[in-house]
Amino acid sequence: MAGKNPKDATADGNLLAKVGKTIQEFGADAMGATNADSPGITMRTLLNRYTQNSSVSETNEDGEHLLFPSRLGDERVGDLRGSTLSGDGDQRGAGGEPRRGGPAHANTDIPGGVTWLDQLLRQLDHGRLPLIKDRFLQRGGNLPSEDFAVLMAGQIGEVEGCDERLVISEFMRLHERLAIEGDFANSHSPRTRQETGQSFITEVAVDDDVDVAPEKLVSWNMFAKLLLDQGIVGDVVRNFNFVRVLSHIEFEKIEPLHDDFELLGNSLTLEQFLITMRAQFQYMFELTGLFDLLEEERQLVSQLVELYEMIDVSGSNSVSWAEFTTFLVDQGMNEDVPRKFNVISFSESPAHAVRDVTGHQSYCEKACYLRQCDKIAFVEHDSKCLRFCSPDLVPQEELSDFAQAPICAEYIEKLGYLVVSCSDLSLSVFDANNKLKLVRKINTKTAQLVLCWSEVAQVLFSADHEGRIYPWDMSQVRLGTGSGYDSREGHQDEQRRVEGAQQPLGLRRPQRDDQGDFRKFLKAEIEAQERPMRHKETDAEYGSSDKNQCQVSREIRTQGGENIVTMLLELPLLARLASCGVDRNVMIWDVYTGRWMQTLKGHTMGVRCMAFAASIKVLVSGGYDYDLFVWNPYVKTSIHQIPGHQAPIVAIEVLGSSSNQVLSADTTGVMKTWDLASSSYQCLQTIVVGDGSALRGVLSVPMHKRIIVVGRSFVAYDYQNAGGSASQTDDQPIIKAVYHPRIRVFVTACATHLRIWDAVTGAMTRTICNRGSDITDFCLDDRGRKVFIADHSGRISVHSIATACLIKELTPHDGEVSGVIYCDGDRNVLTVSWDRSIVVHDESDKKLTMVWRKARNIHKDDISCAAFSRHLGLIATGSSDCVIALHEYERLRARSHLLGHKVEITAVAFIELYALLASADVSGNVAIWDVSARSGYSHKSVVEQVLTHFINMQSLERSPAVTCFCPIGEEDPNACRLYTGDEDGNVRAWDLSRLLMTANILPCEPKANWDPHKRAPAYDAGPTAEAMAQRTVALETPELQLRISTQIVQQALSWTAHTDSVRSLGMCKTPLCIITAGHDQMVKIWTREGDLMTVLRPHGQTAWHFPVQPDEITIDSKLIDKLQVVMRRQFFEEENRQTSLKHRNMENEVNTERPQERVKDLNHKRQVPSSKIAQKAKLGLHLQGGSPRGDV
């Protein structure tokens, strides 16, 4: 340190000696630390990490040297704990105690398990990872600390709350960590530093002949392993969505894609499309190659195959540029549909139905909703009673057993308890299910201002004006194992409470001999923590279990009142508790241990209220600075700040457990709803409460879809979703519901529209509206790319599942279409209608419509139902003329007629693998027919005998009609069942095993050698249909004559699925489940045993549980393997072509340079003799001018 006086130099030398001695005590030598002018590598590392000083003699404003502070802060203690390696190879904490585990890890700068390093790594530009690998390879596969930090810092974007110095520091720390981990993994046994000769922190070898050992290096493999272990690269690949990216593709990337299409003739096959998209998203496939993510690569290929099939809806294996761009435009136009569908709108409740007639004595301060009792409890200012009213604001009873005014109340639904905090320093527990009987009264140390029940931890939390948070064990309260309150004290205890109440609020203390008895009711596990729960900012990790760290942590001194807690809120999905107060902070706690996890800072004034949106896992807070703050509870800085209010915010409510919308209200009566799912956090609606009084809060009543504005009086507002009722699938009766496992979607239909639902999330994604007549039926193609919708007018329209756009229309019927069935594998659509015809359509062409064959007048009256079996090659139709007709699928010729029903047929279904047909009529009869092609049956044979029949009997007086079937035909007869749904909403399962064994019915072979695309002339079956209709109602025709007289079909299961008629039953094999749709506007998913799995609804309070994963590959694995081989071969060919072109260019450059060099050499050789000649000539002239030639 040149330029300093000798005294300063001596002081620096002493200080450096002290540093060296201290470091050696930790088990390392301070290499270079004795030279004051040039600190060694260890000293430089310490200076760079723990100080911003250029001199080792500088001190901070408190007179402390930053390497030797008298009190270590949380970051410095964490750094030392994360970077120190003990002499015997074990890690040690700040206090020198060994810690278990492997190599040292970076400290956690963000409490709650999230580090700045995690944040930085997730900000990496993943498209530049190949460049990062190349940089490693250019340096021999390894990078030193400084080069590594600079390289990594250049590949991340801006991180809020993290400056450049912190970024460099974190990456240098990461380099050190990776180097130590590499050494730890390579070592077979722990060795001391005396054996290895390694130094502190840098872990470099010491050589007596070398002053500074070489710095540790980190390889690409070490860095890649880190990214894989933390799931950073895998998450990026797994969460990548081609459709979403292409819908927002930049303009400058469109033209190269267009050129690729034109180069391939504007008609891309599946392989060509995948190769083109691979070139467009090269960096994603390079990631899978860099990190050997084989399964993720298969998912990318599967996504591209699905994308191709969504564009090529007709299945022609050809995609043009127009089809590609049209798909992207249509997809982008449908992105906003789910958000509009989920918008919640408010309107003031009608005055004649909901009106506050309660005579309020003063402002209402707090209110809570008792769900089981369906009533509202509220506290008025300075009132000594707790009042109740209904959600319709009808006054009810009062609870007036309080010596002083109640402050707040909390309802515990699981226990049926109502807990009330009073200003006389007590907590009163009432049994809401037993006429509000007092269960227990607990005297507390201070008045509890807020209460919050944790459903996850089963703990009641309360907080006071000093910031203390108390965890109350309600099991102890219920059992009465404490003595916080004794009824035998009687008047003496009441007198002490009255005397205490005369003191100002917050200073009252119960004057009793059993001080501290209330702690017997506290949760023991949380109370056992060394640091109590207290909403008070500290300069260290609050609540840490590290004794040494707790000793150095200091609470920041605040003025009186700054620690008042204004609200407690549970974050159930995260098992956390949030507290906010006038100190401007939001603090996060673990609900099980009470340990402090995180402090969220950003508000400029006190925080008044909070709400947690569970669907997207964000916390919203508001207060006296007029702004809403959106937080990720694991990150200490806010995600977004939402302005909009012009007064302090006093209430925030999330509108439903699955909703992304929140309601905020300020003191002037202005309420706003916000969409948290949109990137702009859009304001959806603004409401101004009309009474003009100051607003104190808002209470949500989800069961009634109502919010109550709390102020001088109550004002009720009702809300509804734009997409329908929160408790129902749709706002109209459901006609049909199906699940398609290939694309993982549910499709539901009502009279005016279809809705498409994501089976992974349960969210509605698209709506297809039908213009004109009401929808009667629909079906999906076998690839799940098209939906065929039939309506009352006879129209049959074809729409894209992916974009909801109309593709074309099929040949219409003259009357209502009663059934539409897709013939899997044939690309045919089968329709039946009230015009008494049956038609087989060709749907394969993109635009043209064609009919393969048609049969007219197959029944005398309207066709009510139909069934198709490709296995048998048969079509069955039922009619109101009581006849069931069997037709051959290949020619539509009538094969036989089944007579026996005497009333209208309601449902028919083939039990495939077996030649059986089930039928039902409006009387509740269910018949099982043998439809096998036995000898002696002619094409126009009549069957008047059933195998068996049974009655769908609800009671002796009632047998409701079966409206739908869902047969399960398995090769194992014991697994064969017939599920039925009836008009009373019941689902029953009938065991068919005894029938199959008794009748000796075996699985039949599928029909072969027939042409599903055979053209046939129109067939008119009018005379036959007329004759069969007259015969079936004739008295001589028996009703369902039995072949097997005994009752051999038994009911196996029965349950009530809907409150109204069941309209459809569907079976899904992957996963195993049954889908039911009812006239009660609900779609439900059940197990085969009748247990409810989940309910399909857009805004319900019930969580969605359907066993489907988003990364499941539904495309044929053999196809994916084939495409992967093609893509890799194309990639290697392109790489080789580029390499050859590069070498060719280099050779051309060399060949171009060689002639130039030859010319230069030739010129040089020519110049040499000519210069010699010139010199000789010059010499000769000189001699000639100086003397006679002969003299020379």
Side-chain angles (χ1 to χ4, degrees):
M1 298 179 185
K4 291 192 175 186
N5 61 44
K7 293 184 178 180
D8 291 339
T10 303
D12 287 345
N14 295 334
L15 180 60
L16 289 171
K18 182 179 179 182
V19 171
K21 181 179 179 181
T22 303
I23 295 175
Q24 288 176 357
E25 290 176 356
F26 275 91
D29 59 40
M31 189 168 48
T34 56
N35 187 348
D37 291 330
S38 56
I41 185 170
T42 298
M43 197 66 218
R44 291 199 303 270
T45 304
L46 289 171
L47 288 174
N48 291 335
R49 176 166 300 179
Y50 300 111
T51 78
Q52 302 298 329
N53 302 341
S54 59
S55 170
V56 294
S57 62
E58 295 182 11
T59 60
N60 60 15
E61 60 274 14
D62 297 329
E64 305 177 325
H65 193 281
L66 296 182
L67 289 181
F68 301 96
S70 59
R71 292 177 296 269
L72 292 176
D74 59 336
E75 293 183 359
R76 300 167 195 166
V77 173
D79 287 338
L80 285 173
R81 186 175 65 248
S83 301
T84 304
L85 202 63
S86 66
D88 57 356
D90 293 333
Q91 289 176 265
R92 296 185 178 271
E97 298 180 359
R99 297 187 298 156
R100 297 180 181 180
H105 294 279
N107 73 311
T108 301
D109 294 318
I110 304 176
V114 179
T115 65
W116 277 120
L117 182 57
D118 295 333
Q119 291 285 95
L120 296 175
L121 290 177
R122 294 188 181 276
Q123 291 289 329
L124 273 175
D125 185 353
H126 299 90
R128 299 177 65 85
L129 282 175
L131 178 62
I132 296 176
K133 182 178 181 180
D134 291 341
R135 186 66 59 86
F136 270 91
L137 297 178
Q138 290 172 6
R139 297 291 302 271
N142 301 283
L143 288 179
S145 176
E146 184 176 349
D147 292 350
F148 176 81
V150 172
L151 176 61
M152 293 298 112
Q155 313 305 323
I156 65 169
E158 182 178 354
V159 181
E160 185 177 358
C162 185
D163 58 14
E164 183 180 358
R165 291 182 301 177
L166 180 57
V167 171
I168 296 294
S169 174
E170 286 297 326
F171 279 121
M172 293 186 71
R173 183 181 303 165
L174 173 62
H175 185 280
E176 173 197 339
R177 167 186 160 187
L178 293 176
I180 295 177
E181 285 179 347
D183 290 343
F184 186 87
N186 293 331
S187 61
H188 298 285
S189 61
R191 293 178 295 171
T192 62
R193 281 192 180 82
Q194 287 77 11
E195 294 172 343
T196 59
Q198 292 182 332
S199 63
F200 174 62
I201 294 179
T202 56
E203 292 298 309
V204 293
V206 177
D207 193 312
D208 295 335
D209 299 330
V210 182
D211 294 333
V212 179
E215 191 173 358
K216 276 288 184 179
L217 301 176
V218 166
S219 67
W220 162 255
N221 290 336
M222 299 164 65
F223 181 63
K225 182 178 182 300
L226 171 74
L227 297 180
L228 286 175
D229 291 344
Q230 297 195 0
I232 294 173
V233 176
D235 291 345
V236 170
V237 178
R238 282 188 291 270
N239 297 332
F240 188 79
N241 187 292
F242 285 104
V243 177
R244 189 183 305 118
V245 174
L246 285 171
S247 298
H248 300 85
I249 192 170
E250 295 86 353
F251 178 77
E252 59 269 12
K253 293 184 180 180
I254 291 290
E255 194 62 31
L257 267 178
H258 181 254
D259 294 341
D260 292 339
F261 272 78
E262 291 295 331
L263 188 63
L264 296 170
N266 198 24
S267 179
L268 273 65
T269 63
L270 175 59
E271 294 180 358
Q272 292 172 335
F273 180 81
L274 262 64
I275 293 171
T276 302
M277 291 298 106
R278 192 191 196 285
Q280 178 68 31
F281 299 99
Q282 182 68 30
Y283 66 96
M284 291 303 302
F285 288 93
E286 285 182 348
L287 286 180
T288 61
L290 286 173
F291 299 94
D292 295 327
L293 304 175
L294 301 180
E295 188 61 30
E296 284 75 6
E297 184 182 22
R298 292 177 62 84
Q299 291 175 7
L300 292 178
V301 175
S302 175
Q303 273 197 61
L304 288 175
V305 174
E306 290 184 0
L307 173 60
Y308 185 85
E309 291 184 352
M310 284 190 289
I311 301 173
D312 181 26
V313 290
S314 63
S316 61
N317 196 29
S318 173
V319 167
S320 66
W321 175 252
E323 292 173 329
F324 176 72
T325 53
T326 301
F327 170 80
L328 296 183
V329 172
D330 293 340
Q331 187 74 19
M333 293 177 64
N334 281 277
E335 282 185 348
D336 207 34
V337 171
R339 190 188 66 81
K340 293 180 179 179
F341 177 81
N342 292 309
V343 167
I344 298 175
S345 58
F346 285 85
S347 61
E348 189 170 355
S349 303
H352 66 276
V354 183
R355 183 181 177 185
D356 187 10
V357 295
T358 306
H360 297 283
Q361 301 177 0
S362 59
Y363 280 100
C364 300
E365 295 287 354
K366 297 285 181 67
C368 69
Y369 176 62
L370 284 64
R371 185 174 179 271
Q372 287 182 340
C373 306
D374 195 26
K375 62 177 64 175
I376 298 172
F378 58 93
V379 176
E380 294 179 341
H381 182 66
D382 283 342
S383 173
K384 294 185 179 181
C385 65
L386 184 69
R387 309 182 70 179
F388 296 89
C389 69
S390 70
D392 294 332
L393 306 184
V394 177
Q396 296 184 355
E397 73 273 22
E398 294 183 356
L399 187 61
S400 55
D401 297 336
F402 301 104
Q404 295 296 325
I407 300 175
C408 61
E410 178 75 1
Y411 178 60
I412 305 175
E413 182 176 348
K414 181 178 181 179
L415 304 177
Y417 285 174
L418 178 66
V419 183
V420 182
S421 170
C422 293
S423 56
D424 62 351
L425 315 185
S426 69
L427 285 178
S428 299
V429 183
F430 299 90
D431 189 349
N433 299 326
N434 190 14
K435 299 181 180 180
L436 293 174
K437 179 182 178 180
L438 180 64
V439 176
R440 181 163 297 277
K441 180 180 285 187
I442 305 171
N443 294 320
T444 58
K445 186 178 181 181
T446 55
Q448 304 304 297
L449 305 181
V450 289
L451 299 170
C452 176
W453 169 252
S454 171
E455 191 68 33
V456 174
Q458 299 292 296
V459 175
L460 177 68
F461 291 95
S462 67
D464 61 14
H465 69 286
E466 295 179 348
R468 293 188 181 90
I469 301 175
Y470 295 99
W472 302 95
D473 189 345
M474 297 309 295
S475 62
Q476 296 293 331
V477 173
R478 184 172 64 247
L479 296 175
T481 57
S483 58
Y485 172 77
D486 192 345
S487 59
R488 293 173 297 178
E489 291 183 6
H491 176 75
Q492 183 179 2
D493 181 71
E494 178 66 23
Q495 180 66 27
R496 287 200 299 267
R497 288 201 303 273
V498 172
E499 293 174 358
Q502 296 175 357
Q503 302 180 29
L505 181 64
L507 300 178
R508 304 171 187 170
R509 297 290 185 274
Q511 300 177 5
R512 60 178 186 266
D513 297 332
D514 55 345
Q515 286 281 351
D517 281 356
F518 73 92
R519 294 191 178 276
K520 295 182 179 180
F521 296 103
L522 299 179
K523 191 73 172 179
E525 293 83 353
I526 299 178
E527 276 296 291
Q529 296 292 324
E530 296 185 14
R531 298 288 298 189
M533 296 179 67
R534 189 168 186 182
H535 186 91
K536 197 168 188 179
E537 186 179 358
T538 64
D539 64 349
E541 291 187 1
Y542 202 128
S544 172
S545 60
D546 193 328
K547 294 182 180 181
N548 298 284
Q549 187 168 341
C550 291
Q551 292 175 358
V552 300
S553 63
R554 295 178 299 166
E555 295 183 354
I556 297 178
R557 294 182 182 140
T558 58
Q559 299 177 359
E562 287 191 7
N563 294 318
I564 295 177
V565 179
T566 56
M567 186 175 182
L568 296 174
L569 176 69
E570 185 187 24
L571 317 181
L573 295 179
L574 311 179
R576 299 288 186 264
L577 178 77
S579 64
C580 65
V582 298
D583 63 347
R584 303 172 295 179
N585 294 331
V586 177
M587 301 184 75
I588 308 297
W589 312 82
D590 188 305
V591 294
Y592 293 109
T593 64
R595 187 169 65 91
W596 171 82
M597 305 299 296
Q598 174 80 305
T599 297
L600 312 180
K601 297 183 179 182
H603 283 278
T604 58
M605 300 185 71
V607 186
R608 175 68 177 81
C609 50
M610 301 176 292
F612 181 66
S615 59
I616 52 178
K617 297 182 179 64
V618 298
L619 178 68
V620 185
S621 63
Y624 301 101
D625 52 9
Y626 303 177
D627 288 343
L628 292 172
F629 283 74
V630 183
W631 311 85
N632 176 348
Y634 289 113
V635 181
K636 64 182 179 182
T637 56
S638 63
I639 299 173
H640 195 76
Q641 184 174 349
I642 309 175
H645 285 278
Q646 302 298 322
I649 300 172
V650 294
I652 305 173
E653 287 284 346
V654 177
L655 304 174
S657 61
S658 60
S659 174
N660 297 326
Q661 297 176 45
V662 296
L663 171 79
S664 60
D666 61 34
T667 56
T668 62
V670 175
M671 298 191 300
K672 294 178 178 289
T673 58
W674 309 89
D675 183 8
L676 298 181
S678 65
S679 58
S680 60
Y681 296 89
Q682 180 182 0
C683 179
L684 302 175
Q685 188 177 5
T686 299
I687 308 168
V688 179
V689 181
D691 63 353
S693 61
L695 191 148
R696 298 299 179 95
V698 172
L699 177 66
S700 176
V701 188
M703 287 182 61
H704 296 265
K705 299 185 69 177
R706 178 173 296 162
I707 61 168
I708 308 296
V709 179
V710 180
R712 181 70 186 185
S713 61
F714 288 160
V715 181
Y717 286 85
D718 294 333
Y719 61 87
Q720 62 180 359
N721 295 87
S725 172
S727 60
Q728 297 170 330
T729 304
D730 214 324
D731 52 6
Q732 301 177 38
I734 308 297
I735 296 171
K736 188 177 180 180
V738 299
Y739 172 70
H740 202 294
R742 173 77 178 273
I743 56 176
R744 297 186 294 272
V745 300
F746 288 91
V747 182
T748 63
C750 60
T752 58
H753 57 263
L754 268 74
R755 282 178 177 161
I756 303 169
W757 311 76
D758 184 357
V760 177
T761 63
M764 196 283 298
T765 58
R766 285 173 295 282
T767 298
I768 303 176
C769 296
N770 190 64
R771 310 299 180 189
S773 300
D774 291 347
I775 297 172
T776 56
D777 197 8
F778 76 91
C779 68
L780 276 66
D781 69 339
D782 51 3
R783 301 187 309 143
R785 305 307 171 188
K786 289 181 283 191
V787 58
F788 303 86
I789 305 173
D791 63 21
H792 187 77
S793 66
R795 176 172 169 263
I796 307 162
S797 57
V798 186
H799 293 259
S800 168
I801 287 286
T803 63
C805 296
L806 177 66
I807 300 173
K808 65 178 181 180
E809 292 187 3
L810 301 182
T811 303
H813 283 270
D814 295 332
E816 175 182 327
V817 179
S818 53
V820 54
I821 303 171
Y822 191 83
C823 306
D824 291 349
D826 299 338
R827 305 194 66 183
N828 290 343
V829 177
L830 175 69
T831 59
V832 295
S833 169
W834 281 11
D835 63 5
R836 297 174 294 171
S837 67
I838 179 170
V839 181
V840 178
H841 305 262
D842 177 19
E843 65 88 14
S844 60
D845 195 270
K846 296 181 179 180
K847 298 181 180 179
L848 298 178
T849 60
M850 186 173 62
V851 173
W852 289 120
R853 43 200 176 271
K854 179 178 181 179
R856 294 190 295 266
N857 299 319
I858 62 174
H859 286 276
K860 177 186 175 182
D861 295 329
D862 298 335
I863 300 176
S864 57
C865 53
F868 169 68
S869 171
R870 197 180 190 283
H871 187 80
L872 302 174
L874 294 177
I875 301 170
T877 57
S879 171
S880 56
D881 63 6
C882 310
V883 177
I884 300 172
L886 287 180
H887 291 264
E888 293 179 345
Y889 172 50
E890 187 177 12
R891 296 187 301 169
L892 291 186
R893 295 287 181 176
R895 177 181 146 179
S896 58
H897 292 83
L898 312 181
L899 307 183
H901 288 285
K902 296 297 184 177
V903 290
E904 180 182 349
I905 310 299
T906 57
V908 291
F910 286 99
I911 304 174
E912 289 202 328
L913 293 186
Y914 301 89
L916 298 177
L917 177 73
S919 64
D921 59 30
V922 295
S923 297
N925 293 312
V926 178
I928 308 295
W929 305 81
D930 181 1
V931 294
S932 60
R934 294 172 296 153
S935 60
Y937 271 25
S938 65
H939 282 295
K940 295 186 179 180
S941 65
V942 177
V943 179
E944 296 181 353
Q945 195 177 47
V946 299
L947 275 176
T948 187
H949 91 276
F950 52 90
I951 300 176
N952 182 57
M953 186 174 291
Q954 177 75 14
S955 63
L956 293 176
E957 296 81 16
R958 180 170 175 77
S959 54
V962 170
T963 56
C964 51
F965 288 119
C966 180
I968 300 179
E970 303 286 352
E971 292 187 3
D972 180 9
N974 295 320
C976 291
R977 285 183 176 181
L978 177 66
Y979 287 85
T980 61
D982 61 37
E983 59 184 13
D984 283 357
N986 299 314
V987 174
R988 291 182 172 88
W990 305 88
D991 185 5
L992 303 179
S993 59
R994 287 186 60 196
L995 171 65
L996 298 176
M997 289 185 289
T998 303
N1000 194 26
I1001 297 176
L1002 301 175
C1004 60
E1005 295 295 328
K1007 185 174 180 179
N1009 301 323
W1010 55 289
D1011 183 12
H1013 299 147
K1014 184 175 183 178
R1015 285 183 177 273
Y1019 167 69
D1020 193 340
T1024 304
E1026 184 74 22
M1028 291 299 107
Q1030 293 177 2
R1031 183 171 175 176
T1032 192
V1033 296
L1035 294 177
E1036 59 269 19
T1037 302
E1039 181 179 3
L1040 298 176
Q1041 183 179 0
L1042 297 176
R1043 186 199 300 180
I1044 303 174
S1045 58
T1046 58
Q1047 183 67 33
I1048 56 176
V1049 176
Q1050 301 294 330
Q1051 179 179 301
L1053 293 170
S1054 177
W1055 71 90
T1056 300
H1058 295 271
T1059 58
D1060 207 333
S1061 171
V1062 179
R1063 301 294 296 274
S1064 77
L1065 277 174
M1067 177 61 61
C1068 179
K1069 294 184 179 179
T1070 309
L1072 285 174
C1073 63
I1074 296 175
I1075 302 102
T1076 63
H1079 202 270
D1080 59 357
Q1081 307 172 17
M1082 296 292 292
V1083 173
K1084 300 180 181 180
I1085 295 91
W1086 311 83
T1087 66
R1088 290 190 178 185
E1089 303 304 317
D1091 298 323
L1092 181 65
M1093 293 174 60
T1094 188
V1095 178
L1096 194 64
R1097 62 181 125 197
H1099 326 288
Q1101 305 295 320
T1102 306
W1104 175 256
H1105 297 292
F1106 191 69
V1108 178
Q1109 300 300 323
D1111 55 355
E1112 286 184 11
I1113 298 177
T1114 58
I1115 308 298
D1116 183 19
S1117 60
K1118 293 182 179 178
L1119 175 61
I1120 294 180
D1121 293 338
K1122 174 185 175 183
L1123 294 173
Q1124 279 185 299
V1125 172
V1126 172
M1127 294 173 66
R1128 288 172 182 170
R1129 183 173 64 245
Q1130 179 69 21
F1131 171 72
F1132 289 132
E1133 289 177 357
E1134 180 65 21
E1135 194 174 48
N1136 292 335
R1137 191 181 67 84
Q1138 295 289 345
T1139 304
S1140 301
L1141 181 62
K1142 183 178 179 181
H1143 288 315
R1144 194 178 301 115
N1145 292 335
M1146 293 176 61
E1147 290 178 359
N1148 292 337
E1149 292 178 359
V1150 171
N1151 293 334
T1152 303
E1153 292 176 355
R1154 284 177 179 173
Q1156 295 177 355
E1157 292 177 355
R1158 290 177 181 176
V1159 171
K1160 290 180 181 179
D1161 293 341
L1162 184 59
N1163 292 335
H1164 179 68
K1165 292 178 180 179
R1166 289 174 180 173
Q1167 289 175 1
V1168 170
S1170 53
S1171 61
K1172 293 180 178 179
I1173 293 172
Q1175 290 178 0
K1176 291 179 179 179
K1178 184 178 180 180
L1179 180 59
L1181 291 173
H1182 173 71
L1183 294 175
Q1184 288 177 1
S1187 61
R1189 189 174 183 87
D1191 296 340
V1192 179

